[in-house]
Amino acid sequence: MQLFHDQQVKIYNSLTGKKEFFKPINEGHVGMYVCGPTVYSNVHLGNVRTFMSFDMIFRYLKHLGYKVRYVRNITDAGHLENDADAGEDKITKKARLEQIEPMEVVQRYTVDFHNILNTFNFLPPSIEPTATGHIIEQIELISTIIENGFAYEVNGSVYFDVHKFNETHEYGKLSKRKLDDLIHNTRELDGQSDKKNPQDFALWKKAEPQHIMRWPSPWGDGFPGWHLECTAMSTKYLGDRFDIHGGGMDLKFPHHECEIAQNEAAKGESPVNYWMHANMLELNGQRMSKSTGNTVNPDELLSGDNKFFSKAYAPSVIRFFIAQSSYRSVLDLTDDGLLASEKGFFRLMDAINQLDNLQASKTSSINIHTWKQLCYDAMNDDFNSPILIAHLFEAVKYINQVKEGVETLTEADLALLKETINIFTFDILGLENVTKKESGTDKLSAAVDILIKLRQEARANKDFALSDQIRDELANAGIQLKDGKDGTTFSIN
Ligand code: AMP
Ligand code: ZN
C-alpha cells in the first residue's frame, strides 16, 4: 500500500475556529466518530449530505494510507422529541402512533438508511454501534460522573450539573456560549422539571410505567440520555481522546457541547482533537428538516416523483452536486442546480471514457505532476471538493486538447492522468461511472417524449379515449405524466 500521509492535511476545527494541520494521536492511524441517524423516520437528503461529507473525508484519509477506524452510531433510543431535553422519546412515540414495537421502528428505518447509503455508494463505517447495545457502558459512565460530583439523581433520573461543572470547567466552549447568557435566555419549561437548573441535561431518564424501552439501573428502570450515548460509544471504540468528531452543524449545541462536558467530567479530558461540522442542506432556500416538513427523501429525487423537481436524477449526479460545494457551506438544493450538475457530471464521465482512445506522443506539453499535486492541495485544504472538481474539469480540457492534437502527452503522463483522475473521481468523491447511454435516461426520455407528442395529437383530434389510454398505460408501467402550464413532463416511479 502506497502511503501519502506526507501530504499535509489541514482541517477546520470548529473548537478553535481555525484551519489546523492534522496530526493524528497515533501516527498512521485515525479515529473518527460521526453522530449517526436517529432511526424513527426515513432519512432526508439533508441527513444524506452530512453523512456523504464524512464519507468523502473517510475515503480521502484512507487513500492517504491512514488506517482509519470510522465509528458511526445508530441512535435507537433516548433521543427526545425536543433536542433541548424534553418531550417523548422519538422512537417510542413513533411506535405508539403506529402501534408497533419500538424495535420494529428501529429495524424499518435502519434498513432504509442502509439501502439509501448503498444507493449513493457509501463505504460502510468500521463500526456501527447502537445505543441500546451499550447500556452497561452508559451506566458505568453515569456512575463515574456522579462519583466525580458533576451529576445528581432525582426521582430515578440522573442529571448533569452544568452549573457545578462550569465552576471548574468551561461549558459552552465549542458553541461559544456563556452559561450566564444561557441562564438569561432559557425559558423554564412549565416548571415541572426535576432539574436543579434548566441548563442541566439528562444522563438517565426514569421510565414511566407505559414506557416500553427500559433498562434496569442503580437508579431504577429507565433509559439513557442522547448526549451520553455518543460519549459512551465514541470513547469505547476510539479511546478517551480521539482525532476527529463530526456531525451536522445543528448538533454543535447542545449535543456536542454536552459530549465534551460529559467526557471532561468523567475522564478529566476533552475527548476530541478536531471537531468538524457539516453545514446544512436547504430546499428552495429553507433548511431541510423533518420537523417543518420541508424535506425531500432520496427515493423521491431518484424517481422524480415529487413536487419540487422536474425530473429524476441519478445517485452519482446528486453526489456530484453535493461535492460541488464545500461541506462547510450552506447548500441550496434546486432544480436548476441539479440540472447544471447533471451536465457537468456527464461531461466529466464522457472525458474519462475517452482516456483509453488517446494517442501518446514523444513529449508532453502539459505538466501532469503539477496538476496532480493541485488535486491533492485542494483536498488537503480542509477537503475542498469544489476546488478539486475545478481541477478535474481542467483535466477534461486536457483530454479534449490531446484528442484534438492541440496538446501532447507521453505514454507515462497519459497513464498518470488516467490513474489520478480515476482516484479522485471514483475512490475519493465516490462517484460511479455511468454515462447517459448506460443509465438509459436518454433513450427512455426520447421514447416518452414521442408518446407525449402522440397524446397531444390525440387530444387535438378530440380522441380522448386514446389520450387517456396513453397516460394510463404509461402510469401502469411506472411513468407518471404531469400536465403543467408549460407542457407535459414525466417522472419515473
Ligand atoms: P438526526 O437523525 O436528526 O439525528 O440527523 C442525522 C444527521 O443529519 C445529523 O448529523 C444532523 O446534523 C444532520 N442533518 C439534519 N438536517 C440536516 C440538513 N438540513 N442538512 C444537513 N445535515 C442535516
Ligand atoms: Zn452524537
Side-chain angles (χ1 to χ4, degrees):
M1 165 98 201
Q2 207 174 348
L3 292 183
F4 299 101
H5 43 94
D6 55 326
Q7 296 285 341
Q8 289 267 299
V9 175
K10 269 188 161 181
I11 294 184
Y12 179 84
N13 189 347
S14 311
L15 186 63
T16 57
K18 288 193 206 114
K19 274 188 201 167
E20 296 169 1
F21 281 113
F22 176 62
K23 197 172 176 322
I25 295 169
N26 299 312
E27 214 195 314
H29 294 256
V30 179
M32 175 162 96
Y33 184 87
V34 171
C35 295
T38 304
V39 281
Y40 73 104
S41 67
N42 298 101
V43 282
H44 58 64
L45 264 162
N47 307 131
V48 170
R49 181 195 182 193
T50 287
F51 297 126
M52 200 175 271
S53 300
F54 289 102
D55 181 63
M56 178 189 74
I57 291 165
F58 178 41
R59 285 167 173 273
Y60 187 58
L61 293 172
K62 268 165 68 91
H63 167 71
L64 293 185
Y66 288 110
K67 286 200 162 56
V68 187
R69 181 177 292 170
Y70 173 26
V71 183
R72 188 187 62 214
N73 76 297
I74 297 279
T75 296
D76 56 353
H79 193 166
L80 303 185
E81 271 177 285
N82 177 331
D83 286 351
D85 219 28
E88 202 176 349
D89 178 304
K90 293 185 188 202
I91 289 164
T92 306
K93 181 176 176 189
K94 181 83 173 182
R96 182 172 57 73
L97 292 176
E98 298 214 356
Q99 298 197 319
I100 55 177
E101 280 288 322
M103 276 299 150
E104 281 181 273
V105 174
V106 165
Q107 179 70 10
R108 181 192 295 166
Y109 296 111
T110 304
V111 168
D112 169 73
F113 176 59
H114 287 151
N115 285 342
I116 298 293
L117 299 190
N118 282 338
T119 306
F120 284 104
N121 197 30
F122 276 62
L123 295 181
S126 330
I127 305 177
E128 195 170 46
T130 59
T132 57
H134 295 77
I135 300 289
I136 293 171
E137 289 81 350
Q138 293 172 73
I139 290 174
E140 278 173 9
L141 207 51
I142 298 171
S143 301
T144 312
I145 298 175
I146 295 176
E147 268 167 42
N148 292 350
F150 294 112
Y152 56 92
E153 193 235 315
V154 190
N155 291 331
S157 292
V158 182
Y159 296 99
F160 189 94
D161 192 337
V162 170
H163 290 231
K164 177 82 187 297
F165 176 78
N166 200 53
E167 287 169 14
T168 45
H169 298 73
E170 190 191 343
Y171 182 77
K173 62 180 160 195
L174 177 67
S175 55
K176 318 285 180 265
R177 291 169 203 230
K178 292 258 170 278
L179 184 56
D180 282 346
D181 297 338
L182 288 173
I183 294 169
H184 198 68
N185 294 328
T186 321
R187 268 189 300 132
E188 188 63 78
L189 287 163
D190 62 26
Q192 295 298 313
S193 176
D194 290 331
K195 297 175 188 177
K196 283 198 216 163
N197 292 293
Q199 294 73 37
D200 295 351
F201 56 89
L203 299 175
W204 186 262
K205 275 277 207 194
K206 176 193 173 137
E208 297 307 329
Q210 71 277 14
H211 202 280
I212 310 171
M213 295 181 97
R214 57 201 300 132
W215 291 267
S217 82
W219 317 283
D221 277 7
F223 57 94
W226 172 43
H227 312 312
L228 187 78
E229 299 172 355
C230 283
T231 298
M233 291 183 274
S234 59
T235 56
K236 169 159 179 155
Y237 298 109
L238 300 173
D240 290 346
R241 193 175 180 103
F242 54 93
D243 297 302
I244 298 175
H245 191 316
M249 199 71 100
D250 55 333
L251 299 188
K252 210 190 238 187
F253 186 87
H255 187 54
H256 293 158
E257 200 69 72
C258 295
E259 278 189 53
I260 296 180
Q262 289 164 161
N263 213 64
E264 290 185 353
K267 320 270 174 82
E269 66 174 321
S270 199
V272 175
N273 280 352
Y274 303 87
W275 280 96
M276 296 184 72
H277 289 99
N279 218 326
M280 295 289 109
L281 185 69
E282 296 185 343
L283 179 59
N284 297 321
Q286 297 280 322
R287 162 127 154 234
M288 204 178 277
S289 148
K290 277 175 211 167
S291 52
T292 59
N294 186 43
T295 57
V296 58
N297 284 348
D299 282 348
E300 295 169 329
L301 194 53
L302 296 169
S303 67
D305 187 14
N306 62 71
K307 58 179 191 283
F308 302 107
F309 299 98
S310 62
K311 63 185 288 296
Y313 292 97
S316 278
V317 169
I318 299 168
R319 220 181 146 119
F320 188 69
F321 170 78
I322 288 176
Q324 276 183 302
S325 88
S326 152
Y327 79 90
R328 283 205 289 129
S329 311
V330 172
L331 173 60
D332 194 20
L333 184 69
T334 60
D335 205 36
D336 286 349
L338 283 166
L339 286 169
S341 291
E342 184 175 60
K343 262 198 193 149
F345 171 74
F346 284 120
R347 203 152 67 80
L348 177 61
M349 291 306 124
D350 287 346
I352 289 175
N353 293 335
Q354 296 283 335
L355 274 162
D356 284 336
N357 307 328
L358 296 184
Q359 296 291 325
S361 302
K362 286 210 172 62
T363 55
S364 289
S365 57
I366 307 165
N367 189 333
I368 296 299
H369 288 272
T370 307
W371 168 79
K372 176 181 167 183
Q373 188 53 45
L374 289 174
C375 294
Y376 279 98
D377 291 348
M379 286 305 282
N380 292 343
D381 183 13
D382 195 30
F383 312 99
N384 199 330
S385 52
I387 301 289
L388 167 66
I389 290 173
H391 294 309
L392 295 179
F393 279 118
E394 197 57 27
V396 169
K397 200 175 86 193
Y398 299 158
I399 292 167
N400 290 328
Q401 286 169 332
V402 171
K403 196 172 124 199
E404 289 158 13
V406 183
E407 303 281 0
T408 59
L409 288 177
T410 62
E411 192 88 48
D413 277 345
L414 267 179
L416 184 65
L417 173 65
K418 185 173 171 184
E419 182 192 58
T420 309
I421 202 167
N422 279 327
I423 287 174
F424 280 96
T425 306
F426 304 117
D427 299 353
I428 293 168
L429 293 180
L431 302 172
E432 289 177 295
N433 192 350
V434 276
T435 59
K436 271 196 190 171
K437 266 186 236 120
E438 275 167 18
S439 71
T441 50
D442 253 7
K443 284 181 192 155
L444 183 63
S445 297
V448 178
D449 284 344
I450 293 169
L451 288 166
I452 290 175
K453 221 166 121 216
L454 288 175
R455 181 166 164 260
Q456 271 155 358
E457 283 172 17
R459 277 172 152 189
N461 296 332
K462 302 216 172 345
D463 187 350
F464 296 113
L466 180 60
S467 81
D468 288 352
Q469 187 187 354
I470 294 173
R471 186 198 55 210
D472 295 346
E473 290 194 8
L474 278 173
N476 285 342
I479 296 168
Q480 307 289 342
L481 297 188
K482 286 187 212 166
D483 294 317
K485 59 179 182 339
D486 299 326
T488 304
T489 54
F490 71 93
S491 62
I492 305 167
N493 289 339

